[in-house]
């Protein structure tokens, strides 16, 4: 069979190789000299449980590479990697592949497995191998997602800059590290990283000086990292996108906050720290912001920041439901076109205080004259007993908003009140969508809903709009 396939053009054979796992790709070298030469054209190397062991989760379970264990804290069964069987085999197979690889040039090297300092020297050899071949992208994901290990002590692998003293290491453009230590030698000049444009660090123990020294970066992610200082200042003329979330001081859980951004090209900021009066932003073309607001004081500081940004167009706010969003906004958000509000439940809040005063959101709508889309998500929604009657809202007019989405609905009075007020004052509205689905982590793929919506909440809202003479009720969409 392979004799006939071997007659195909190189481009087709190489396409076939790209569809094979690393385990199967290794086998092709014994077929013929031509297949071995084609193998040398493979420039992207992916090593994870599927590429190294088996192609499907069912096969991994049958071979014992994956196991199901009961969670220590819940009744949920968790699927995790079985290191007793898989660890040594994984390291041996990756080692074997690289040892026999005829590749002279490699673009992408990915390791996604639960590795640590026990494999320090072996991993160093792998990285040295790809550096010598002009590597452009390295992803070292030592958390082993999606099959993580729970409550297992580990010593982190140390990612050493000494590996990059080779001249051609300057080809590196993309670096992603997860669950490791960043080891920076004294007096490091960072010359090998002169072309690095993307850096992502997750659960990494890192020296803050390193971040401030890479002035050519275009995108930077710092997530759950350990830094040396309580505050971080970033000064660069190249950075365009920044994600800074859940970072803390080394050997403590004190939160690290951004205090200064001097980034003339920054267009996108995702930040979950505290807003304060000491924040100093020089970001004249910042268009997209995502951040939380925990209390009234931070609300004030946040909106002072927003109105100082002349190009702000997209804003996502994570608001705690008790934050008084009706605080007066002195200056309008002149360029805002899209607003996403996520209303979160404060910890230890009694059910009777869980009402979401959605009418207060109208204050932000009024302060955003060019807004075209408004999305509001209620998290952990519950039916409120003894529901109140709709309250009067100060009359206003909005001429631009066309789409409004309200998710996390259960059929409460304030949902009806909000929809009615929107229809009354949004003159160009095309549709308002009410949905029961919500999620507490925006990046999560798992959506939740309250059964009350399907039992009678949806019907209650529909009947209310049918009984009231509401102008524009045909624009209401109930999911």
């Amino acid at each position: 069979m392979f004799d006939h396939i071997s007659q195909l053009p190189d481009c087709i054979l190489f396409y076939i190789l790209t569809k094979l796992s690393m385990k199967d790709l290794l086998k092709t070298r014994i077929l013929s000299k031509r297949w071995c030469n084609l193998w040398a054209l493979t420039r992207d190397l992916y090593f994870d449980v599927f590429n190294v062991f088996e192609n499907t989760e069912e096969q991994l379970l049958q071979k014992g590479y994956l196991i199901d264990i009961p969670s220590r804290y819940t009744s949920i069964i968790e699927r995790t990697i079985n290191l007793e069987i898989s660890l040594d085999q994984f390291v041996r197979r990756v080692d074997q592949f690289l040892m026999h690889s005829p590749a002279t040039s490699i673009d992408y090297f990915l390791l996604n497995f639960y590795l640590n300092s026990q494999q320090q020297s072996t991993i160093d050899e792998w990285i040295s191998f790809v550096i010598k071949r002009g590597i452009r992208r390295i992803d070292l994901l030592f958390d082993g997602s999606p099959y993580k290990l729970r409550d297992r002590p580990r010593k982190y692998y140390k990612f050493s800059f000494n590996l990059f003293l080779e001249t051609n290491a300057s080809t590196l453009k993309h670096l992603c590290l997860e669950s490791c230590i960043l080891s920076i030698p004294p007096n490091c000049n960072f010359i090998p990283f002169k072309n690095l444009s993307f850096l992502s660090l997750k659960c990494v123990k890192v020296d803050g000086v390193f971040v401030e020294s890479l002035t050519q970066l275009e995108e930077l992610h710092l997530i759950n990292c350990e830094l040396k200082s309580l505050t971080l200042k970033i000064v660069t003329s190249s950075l365009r996108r920044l994600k800074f979330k859940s970072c803390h001081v080394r050997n403590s859980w004190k939160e690290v906050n951004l205090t200064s951004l001097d980034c003339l090209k920054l267009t996108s900021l995702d930040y979950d720290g505290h807003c304060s009066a000491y924040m100093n932003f020089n970001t004249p073309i910042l268009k997209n912001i995502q951040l939380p607001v925990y209390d009234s004081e931070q609300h004030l500081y946040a909106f002072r920041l927003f109105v100082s940004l002349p190009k702000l167009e997209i804003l996502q706010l994570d608001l705690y439901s008790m934050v008084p969003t009706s605080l007066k906004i002195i200056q309008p958000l002149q360029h805002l076109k899209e607003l996403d509000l996520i209303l979160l439940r404060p910890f230890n809040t009694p059910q009777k205080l869980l009402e979401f005063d959605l009418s207060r959101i109208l204050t932000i709508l009024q302060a955003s004259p060019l807004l075209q889309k408004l999305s509001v998500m209620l998290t952990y929604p519950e039916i409120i007993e003894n529901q109140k009657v709709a309250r009067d809202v100060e009359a206003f007019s909005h001429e631009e908003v066309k789409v409004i989405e309200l998710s996390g609905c259960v059929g409460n009075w304030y949902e009806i009140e909000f929809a009615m007020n929107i229809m009354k004052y949004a003159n160009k509205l095309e549709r308002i969508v009410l949905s029961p689905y919500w999620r507490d982590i925006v990046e999560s793929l798992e959506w939740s809903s309250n059964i009350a919506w399907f039992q009678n909440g949806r019907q209650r809202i529909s009947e209310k709009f049918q009984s009231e003479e509401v102008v524009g009720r045909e624009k209401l969409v109930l999911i």
Side-chain angles (χ1 to χ4, degrees):
M1 177 179 177
F2 275 106
D3 288 337
H4 295 294
I5 295 178
S6 296
Q7 305 305 315
L8 296 172
D10 284 357
C11 59
I12 296 179
L13 292 179
F14 181 68
Y15 178 76
I16 293 174
L17 291 178
T18 63
K19 300 301 180 182
L20 298 179
S21 69
M22 294 300 170
K23 179 186 67 172
D24 294 330
L25 189 60
L26 187 61
K27 297 176 183 178
T28 64
R29 67 187 178 87
I30 66 174
L31 296 177
S32 70
K33 184 177 181 180
R34 186 180 180 208
W35 281 90
C36 188
N37 291 335
L38 283 171
W39 185 30
L41 299 176
T42 304
R43 301 172 69 95
D44 296 337
L45 304 181
Y46 308 100
F47 298 106
D48 58 16
V49 292
F50 294 105
N51 271 300
V52 173
F53 296 127
E54 301 295 340
N55 296 326
T56 68
E57 191 172 62
E58 291 73 17
Q59 292 172 333
L60 289 169
L61 284 166
Q62 290 175 1
K63 295 291 182 66
Y65 297 119
L66 295 181
I67 54 175
D68 291 334
I69 58 174
S71 172
R72 180 181 297 181
Y73 307 105
T74 68
S75 59
I76 298 175
I77 299 297
E78 296 181 344
R79 184 157 293 172
T80 186
I81 193 74
N82 183 0
L83 287 186
E84 299 293 331
I85 295 178
S86 63
L87 180 57
D88 290 342
Q89 284 197 45
F90 183 92
V91 174
R92 185 170 62 253
R93 290 186 180 185
V94 174
D95 217 30
Q96 184 183 19
F97 184 96
L98 296 179
M99 180 177 62
H100 291 93
S101 173
T104 58
S105 180
I106 297 176
D107 289 337
Y108 185 18
F109 178 66
L110 176 140
L111 277 177
N112 183 10
F113 198 75
Y114 193 87
L115 302 175
N116 55 34
S117 61
Q118 291 180 330
Q119 296 81 39
Q120 180 75 44
S121 60
T122 304
I123 298 172
D124 287 350
E125 291 177 3
W126 297 344
I127 295 175
S128 295
F129 175 87
V130 298
I131 288 174
K132 292 176 182 178
R133 285 153 181 80
I135 191 70
R136 295 175 180 272
R137 174 173 178 174
I138 295 178
D139 287 358
L140 304 180
L141 312 180
F142 295 141
D143 206 25
S145 180
Y147 306 113
K148 299 180 181 181
L149 293 177
R150 308 292 182 186
D151 305 323
R152 184 186 178 103
R154 66 189 296 187
K155 293 183 178 179
Y156 281 176
Y157 164 78
K158 289 184 179 181
F159 183 85
S160 175
F161 278 19
N162 288 327
L163 296 171
F164 290 84
L165 297 180
E166 304 278 347
T167 303
N168 63 350
S170 62
T171 58
L172 188 66
K173 294 184 177 181
H174 175 118
L175 178 61
C176 182
L177 302 178
E178 179 182 86
S179 297
C180 65
I181 298 173
L182 208 54
S183 177
I184 307 172
N187 303 319
C188 181
N189 57 20
F190 299 99
I191 291 177
F193 298 91
K194 65 181 181 181
N195 289 320
L196 190 67
S197 61
F198 178 94
L199 175 63
S200 176
L201 305 178
K202 182 178 180 181
C203 300
V204 172
K205 298 178 181 179
V206 61
D207 186 346
V209 175
F210 167 66
V211 175
E212 297 171 2
S213 301
L214 295 176
T215 56
Q216 79 290 350
L217 282 178
E218 295 183 7
E219 185 163 353
L220 172 64
H221 298 179
L222 294 173
I223 304 171
N224 293 322
C225 291
E226 290 188 21
L227 306 180
K228 280 190 171 182
S229 173
L230 274 172
T231 61
L232 183 65
K233 299 179 181 180
I234 299 179
V235 180
T236 170
S237 59
S238 60
L239 195 65
R240 297 178 184 274
R241 291 168 294 277
L242 173 63
K243 180 179 288 189
F244 185 83
K245 310 192 78 171
S246 303
C247 294
H248 56 278
V249 178
R250 188 171 300 177
N251 300 322
S252 80
W253 288 105
K254 293 182 178 179
E255 185 179 43
V256 177
N257 289 299
L258 277 174
T259 55
S260 179
L261 278 180
D262 192 351
C263 306
L264 299 180
K265 293 184 179 179
L266 192 71
T267 61
S268 177
L269 172 64
D270 184 354
Y271 173 55
D272 72 348
H274 288 75
C275 295
S276 72
Y278 304 104
M279 293 178 71
N280 181 22
F281 281 21
N282 181 20
T283 53
I285 63 171
L286 188 58
K287 294 182 178 181
N288 188 337
I289 296 183
Q290 176 180 338
L291 56 75
V293 175
Y294 297 100
D295 53 39
S296 302
E297 186 177 36
Q298 289 189 40
H299 181 282
L300 181 62
Y301 297 142
F303 276 86
R304 283 179 180 173
L305 171 63
F306 301 152
V307 298
S308 71
L309 302 172
K311 301 294 184 180
L312 183 62
E313 294 183 359
I314 301 174
L315 175 61
Q316 178 180 307
L317 285 178
D318 300 343
L319 296 171
Y320 284 80
S321 58
M322 297 300 106
V323 173
T325 52
S326 60
L327 284 175
K328 188 175 181 180
I329 302 175
I330 300 175
Q331 293 177 278
L333 305 174
Q334 291 283 10
H335 299 277
L336 195 64
K337 295 181 179 179
E338 183 175 330
L339 175 61
D340 295 328
L341 299 176
I342 300 177
L343 303 188
L344 301 160
R345 173 190 293 185
F347 297 110
N348 302 320
T349 303
Q351 180 176 345
K352 65 180 180 179
L353 296 178
L354 285 179
E355 300 175 6
F356 293 98
D357 188 355
L358 300 181
S359 63
R360 297 179 176 183
I361 295 173
L362 300 179
T363 304
I364 303 178
L365 181 61
Q366 294 177 61
S368 310
L370 298 183
L371 195 71
Q372 298 177 6
K373 181 179 179 181
L374 170 63
S375 298
V376 182
M377 183 167 67
L378 315 176
T379 61
Y380 303 97
E382 297 180 14
I383 286 289
I384 303 298
E385 302 297 335
N386 302 318
Q387 299 196 8
K388 300 178 182 179
V389 297
R391 295 164 295 196
D392 292 330
V393 175
E394 181 181 353
F396 71 97
S397 177
H398 201 287
E399 302 297 331
E400 294 294 331
V401 66
K402 295 179 174 62
V403 178
I404 292 183
E405 300 171 346
L406 179 62
S407 56
C409 296
V410 293
N412 278 317
W413 64 274
Y414 47 78
E415 299 160 17
I416 300 172
E417 175 192 61
F418 179 74
M420 286 185 171
N421 282 321
I422 288 295
M423 291 179 181
K424 188 184 301 182
Y425 300 123
N427 298 326
K428 299 294 180 62
L429 186 69
E430 295 177 358
R431 68 181 182 277
I432 177 170
V433 182
L434 272 58
S435 160
Y437 301 106
W438 60 274
R439 52 188 176 182
D440 55 353
I441 302 176
V442 177
E443 292 84 2
S444 172
L445 298 178
E446 297 182 3
W447 290 84
S448 302
S449 63
N450 190 318
I451 195 173
W453 172 261
F454 303 100
Q455 289 176 334
N456 53 31
R458 187 180 187 276
Q459 182 179 355
R460 182 187 303 117
I461 292 180
S462 179
E463 291 175 350
K464 182 66 175 178
F465 275 84
Q466 291 297 327
S467 63
E468 298 279 344
E469 293 186 3
V470 180
V471 176
R473 62 186 179 188
E474 70 279 358
K475 301 172 183 177
L476 179 67
V477 179
L478 301 178
I479 301 299

